[in-house]
Short mmCIF file of all heavy atoms in Angstrom, two decimals:
data_model
loop_
_atom_site.label_atom_id
_atom_site.label_comp_id
_atom_site.label_asym_id
_atom_site.label_seq_id
_atom_site.Cartn_x
_atom_site.Cartn_y
_atom_site.Cartn_z
N VAL G 1 103.47 348.96 238.19
CA VAL G 1 102.50 349.24 239.24
C VAL G 1 103.14 350.06 240.37
O VAL G 1 102.55 351.00 240.87
CB VAL G 1 101.89 347.93 239.77
CG1 VAL G 1 101.06 348.20 241.05
CG2 VAL G 1 101.00 347.29 238.74
N CYS G 2 104.36 349.73 240.73
CA CYS G 2 105.09 350.53 241.72
C CYS G 2 105.26 351.97 241.26
O CYS G 2 105.05 352.91 242.04
CB CYS G 2 106.43 349.92 242.04
SG CYS G 2 106.39 348.44 243.04
N CYS G 3 105.59 352.13 239.99
CA CYS G 3 105.73 353.47 239.43
C CYS G 3 104.39 354.23 239.48
O CYS G 3 104.36 355.37 239.88
CB CYS G 3 106.23 353.36 237.99
SG CYS G 3 106.41 354.95 237.16
N LEU G 4 103.33 353.55 239.14
CA LEU G 4 102.00 354.16 239.17
C LEU G 4 101.65 354.60 240.58
O LEU G 4 101.17 355.70 240.80
CB LEU G 4 100.99 353.15 238.64
CG LEU G 4 99.55 353.66 238.42
CD1 LEU G 4 99.52 354.67 237.31
CD2 LEU G 4 98.67 352.48 238.13
N LYS G 5 101.93 353.74 241.57
CA LYS G 5 101.56 354.07 242.97
C LYS G 5 102.43 355.17 243.53
O LYS G 5 101.95 355.99 244.29
CB LYS G 5 101.67 352.81 243.79
CG LYS G 5 100.56 351.82 243.51
CD LYS G 5 100.55 350.78 244.62
CE LYS G 5 99.20 350.21 244.81
NZ LYS G 5 98.19 351.08 245.34
N VAL G 6 103.70 355.24 243.14
CA VAL G 6 104.62 356.26 243.68
C VAL G 6 104.50 357.57 242.93
O VAL G 6 104.41 358.64 243.55
CB VAL G 6 106.08 355.75 243.69
CG1 VAL G 6 107.04 356.86 244.01
CG2 VAL G 6 106.24 354.57 244.64
N CYS G 7 104.50 357.52 241.64
CA CYS G 7 104.57 358.73 240.83
C CYS G 7 103.20 359.32 240.51
O CYS G 7 103.09 360.55 240.31
CB CYS G 7 105.28 358.43 239.50
SG CYS G 7 106.93 357.80 239.71
N TYR G 8 102.18 358.53 240.48
CA TYR G 8 100.84 359.00 240.20
C TYR G 8 99.85 358.46 241.24
O TYR G 8 99.00 357.58 240.93
CB TYR G 8 100.41 358.58 238.78
CG TYR G 8 101.43 358.97 237.74
CD1 TYR G 8 102.36 358.07 237.24
CD2 TYR G 8 101.45 360.28 237.26
CE1 TYR G 8 103.29 358.48 236.32
CE2 TYR G 8 102.38 360.67 236.31
CZ TYR G 8 103.29 359.74 235.84
OH TYR G 8 104.23 360.12 234.89
N PRO G 9 99.95 358.91 242.49
CA PRO G 9 99.12 358.34 243.57
C PRO G 9 97.62 358.44 243.34
O PRO G 9 96.89 357.56 243.83
CB PRO G 9 99.56 359.13 244.80
CG PRO G 9 100.35 360.26 244.33
CD PRO G 9 100.79 359.99 242.95
N ALA G 10 97.16 359.42 242.57
CA ALA G 10 95.72 359.51 242.31
C ALA G 10 95.23 358.30 241.53
O ALA G 10 94.11 357.80 241.77
CB ALA G 10 95.42 360.78 241.54
N TYR G 11 96.04 357.81 240.61
CA TYR G 11 95.68 356.62 239.86
C TYR G 11 96.07 355.33 240.60
O TYR G 11 95.35 354.36 240.55
CB TYR G 11 96.34 356.64 238.48
CG TYR G 11 95.92 357.77 237.59
CD1 TYR G 11 96.73 358.83 237.34
CD2 TYR G 11 94.63 357.78 237.07
CE1 TYR G 11 96.33 359.88 236.53
CE2 TYR G 11 94.20 358.84 236.28
CZ TYR G 11 95.06 359.86 236.00
OH TYR G 11 94.64 360.89 235.22
N GLY G 12 97.20 355.39 241.27
CA GLY G 12 97.67 354.23 241.99
C GLY G 12 96.76 353.78 243.11
O GLY G 12 96.67 352.61 243.44
N SER G 13 96.03 354.73 243.73
CA SER G 13 95.13 354.38 244.82
C SER G 13 93.91 353.64 244.32
O SER G 13 93.20 353.02 245.11
CB SER G 13 94.72 355.65 245.58
OG SER G 13 93.99 356.50 244.73
N ARG G 14 93.66 353.71 243.03
CA ARG G 14 92.46 353.01 242.46
C ARG G 14 92.79 351.53 242.10
O ARG G 14 91.91 350.81 241.66
CB ARG G 14 92.04 353.71 241.18
CG ARG G 14 91.52 355.09 241.44
CD ARG G 14 91.06 355.71 240.14
NE ARG G 14 90.81 357.12 240.32
CZ ARG G 14 90.65 357.95 239.32
NH1 ARG G 14 90.73 357.52 238.10
NH2 ARG G 14 90.40 359.21 239.55
N PHE G 15 94.05 351.15 242.25
CA PHE G 15 94.46 349.78 241.90
C PHE G 15 93.79 348.79 242.87
O PHE G 15 93.89 348.90 244.08
CB PHE G 15 95.98 349.67 242.03
CG PHE G 15 96.53 348.42 241.42
CD1 PHE G 15 96.66 348.27 240.05
CD2 PHE G 15 96.93 347.36 242.24
CE1 PHE G 15 97.16 347.11 239.52
CE2 PHE G 15 97.43 346.22 241.72
CZ PHE G 15 97.55 346.09 240.35
N SER G 16 93.11 347.80 242.30
CA SER G 16 92.35 346.86 243.13
C SER G 16 92.81 345.42 242.89
O SER G 16 93.65 345.17 242.03
CB SER G 16 90.86 346.96 242.78
OG SER G 16 90.63 346.48 241.47
N ARG G 17 92.20 344.53 243.64
CA ARG G 17 92.52 343.11 243.50
C ARG G 17 92.15 342.64 242.08
O ARG G 17 92.83 341.82 241.50
CB ARG G 17 91.75 342.31 244.53
CG ARG G 17 91.99 340.84 244.41
CD ARG G 17 91.21 340.07 245.51
NE ARG G 17 92.13 339.06 246.00
CZ ARG G 17 92.40 338.87 247.26
NH1 ARG G 17 91.82 339.57 248.19
NH2 ARG G 17 93.25 337.95 247.62
N GLY G 18 91.07 343.15 241.53
CA GLY G 18 90.65 342.83 240.17
C GLY G 18 91.68 343.24 239.13
O GLY G 18 91.95 342.49 238.17
N HIS G 19 92.28 344.40 239.34
CA HIS G 19 93.34 344.83 238.45
C HIS G 19 94.53 343.90 238.50
O HIS G 19 95.15 343.53 237.52
CB HIS G 19 93.82 346.25 238.80
CG HIS G 19 92.82 347.31 238.51
ND1 HIS G 19 92.17 347.99 239.53
CD2 HIS G 19 92.33 347.79 237.36
CE1 HIS G 19 91.35 348.86 238.99
NE2 HIS G 19 91.41 348.77 237.67
N ALA G 20 94.88 343.47 239.74
CA ALA G 20 96.02 342.55 239.94
C ALA G 20 95.76 341.21 239.22
O ALA G 20 96.61 340.68 238.51
CB ALA G 20 96.27 342.34 241.39
N VAL G 21 94.55 340.71 239.38
CA VAL G 21 94.22 339.45 238.72
C VAL G 21 94.26 339.60 237.19
O VAL G 21 94.79 338.75 236.48
CB VAL G 21 92.84 338.92 239.18
CG1 VAL G 21 92.34 337.79 238.34
CG2 VAL G 21 92.86 338.53 240.65
N GLY G 22 93.71 340.70 236.72
CA GLY G 22 93.75 340.97 235.27
C GLY G 22 95.15 341.07 234.72
O GLY G 22 95.47 340.52 233.65
N LEU G 23 96.04 341.73 235.47
CA LEU G 23 97.41 341.84 235.03
C LEU G 23 98.13 340.49 235.04
O LEU G 23 98.92 340.19 234.13
CB LEU G 23 98.16 342.87 235.92
CG LEU G 23 97.80 344.33 235.64
CD1 LEU G 23 98.44 345.21 236.71
CD2 LEU G 23 98.21 344.74 234.24
N LEU G 24 97.88 339.68 236.06
CA LEU G 24 98.48 338.34 236.11
C LEU G 24 98.00 337.50 234.94
O LEU G 24 98.82 336.78 234.30
CB LEU G 24 98.17 337.64 237.41
CG LEU G 24 99.00 338.09 238.59
CD1 LEU G 24 98.50 337.44 239.89
CD2 LEU G 24 100.47 337.76 238.39
N VAL G 25 96.73 337.53 234.62
CA VAL G 25 96.19 336.77 233.50
C VAL G 25 96.84 337.29 232.18
O VAL G 25 97.20 336.48 231.32
CB VAL G 25 94.64 336.88 233.44
CG1 VAL G 25 94.12 336.36 232.15
CG2 VAL G 25 94.04 336.11 234.63
N ALA G 26 96.99 338.58 232.05
CA ALA G 26 97.61 339.16 230.87
C ALA G 26 99.05 338.71 230.75
O ALA G 26 99.51 338.36 229.64
CB ALA G 26 97.50 340.68 230.89
N VAL G 27 99.80 338.73 231.84
CA VAL G 27 101.21 338.32 231.81
C VAL G 27 101.34 336.85 231.38
O VAL G 27 102.12 336.53 230.49
CB VAL G 27 101.86 338.52 233.19
CG1 VAL G 27 103.17 337.75 233.31
CG2 VAL G 27 102.11 340.02 233.42
N TRP G 28 100.53 336.00 231.99
CA TRP G 28 100.59 334.56 231.65
C TRP G 28 100.09 334.31 230.22
O TRP G 28 100.61 333.46 229.52
CB TRP G 28 99.87 333.72 232.67
CG TRP G 28 100.68 333.53 233.88
CD1 TRP G 28 100.70 334.29 235.02
CD2 TRP G 28 101.66 332.50 234.10
NE1 TRP G 28 101.63 333.80 235.91
CE2 TRP G 28 102.22 332.71 235.38
CE3 TRP G 28 102.11 331.43 233.32
CZ2 TRP G 28 103.23 331.91 235.88
CZ3 TRP G 28 103.11 330.61 233.84
CH2 TRP G 28 103.65 330.83 235.10
N GLY G 29 99.08 335.07 229.79
CA GLY G 29 98.59 334.92 228.40
C GLY G 29 99.65 335.36 227.41
O GLY G 29 99.86 334.69 226.36
N TYR G 30 100.33 336.44 227.67
CA TYR G 30 101.42 336.96 226.83
C TYR G 30 102.54 335.92 226.71
O TYR G 30 103.01 335.61 225.63
CB TYR G 30 101.89 338.28 227.43
CG TYR G 30 102.79 339.10 226.55
CD1 TYR G 30 102.25 339.91 225.57
CD2 TYR G 30 104.18 339.19 226.74
CE1 TYR G 30 103.05 340.75 224.78
CE2 TYR G 30 104.98 339.98 225.99
CZ TYR G 30 104.40 340.77 225.00
OH TYR G 30 105.22 341.57 224.24
N ALA G 31 102.94 335.40 227.90
CA ALA G 31 104.00 334.43 227.91
C ALA G 31 103.57 333.13 227.15
O ALA G 31 104.33 332.55 226.42
CB ALA G 31 104.40 334.10 229.36
N LEU G 32 102.32 332.74 227.38
CA LEU G 32 101.83 331.53 226.75
C LEU G 32 101.79 331.68 225.22
O LEU G 32 102.11 330.76 224.49
CB LEU G 32 100.43 331.21 227.28
CG LEU G 32 99.78 329.92 226.75
CD1 LEU G 32 100.62 328.71 227.09
CD2 LEU G 32 98.38 329.76 227.28
N ALA G 33 101.42 332.86 224.75
CA ALA G 33 101.36 333.11 223.30
C ALA G 33 102.73 332.95 222.68
O ALA G 33 102.89 332.29 221.62
CB ALA G 33 100.80 334.51 223.02
N PHE G 34 103.76 333.50 223.30
CA PHE G 34 105.12 333.40 222.72
C PHE G 34 105.70 332.01 222.96
O PHE G 34 106.49 331.52 222.12
CB PHE G 34 106.03 334.49 223.31
CG PHE G 34 105.89 335.79 222.63
CD1 PHE G 34 105.06 336.77 223.13
CD2 PHE G 34 106.53 336.05 221.42
CE1 PHE G 34 104.91 337.99 222.48
CE2 PHE G 34 106.37 337.24 220.77
CZ PHE G 34 105.56 338.23 221.29
N ALA G 35 105.38 331.36 224.07
CA ALA G 35 105.89 330.01 224.30
C ALA G 35 105.25 328.98 223.39
O ALA G 35 105.88 327.99 222.98
CB ALA G 35 105.71 329.63 225.76
N ALA G 36 103.97 329.21 223.08
CA ALA G 36 103.25 328.25 222.22
C ALA G 36 103.51 328.44 220.74
O ALA G 36 103.21 327.55 219.91
CB ALA G 36 101.74 328.34 222.50
N ALA G 37 104.07 329.58 220.36
CA ALA G 37 104.32 329.87 218.94
C ALA G 37 105.14 328.76 218.25
O ALA G 37 104.77 328.36 217.14
CB ALA G 37 104.96 331.21 218.79
#
């Protein structure tokens, strides 16, 4: 996300709270999938 905001500001400025929540859910889901295996 830092890379997106610094290197591609046109896309980085569109980052919203909903994107952040979605990314957090994805991170925890990914971790849960490998931990539960």
Side-chain angles (χ1 to χ4, degrees):
V1 169
C2 286
C3 179
L4 186 67
K5 288 192 150 295
V6 170
C7 301
Y8 307 99
Y11 296 108
S13 63
R14 296 181 190 166
F15 191 77
S16 68
R17 179 180 224 129
H19 291 111
V21 170
L23 287 171
L24 282 174
V25 168
V27 163
W28 281 92
Y30 193 79
L32 183 61
F34 277 97

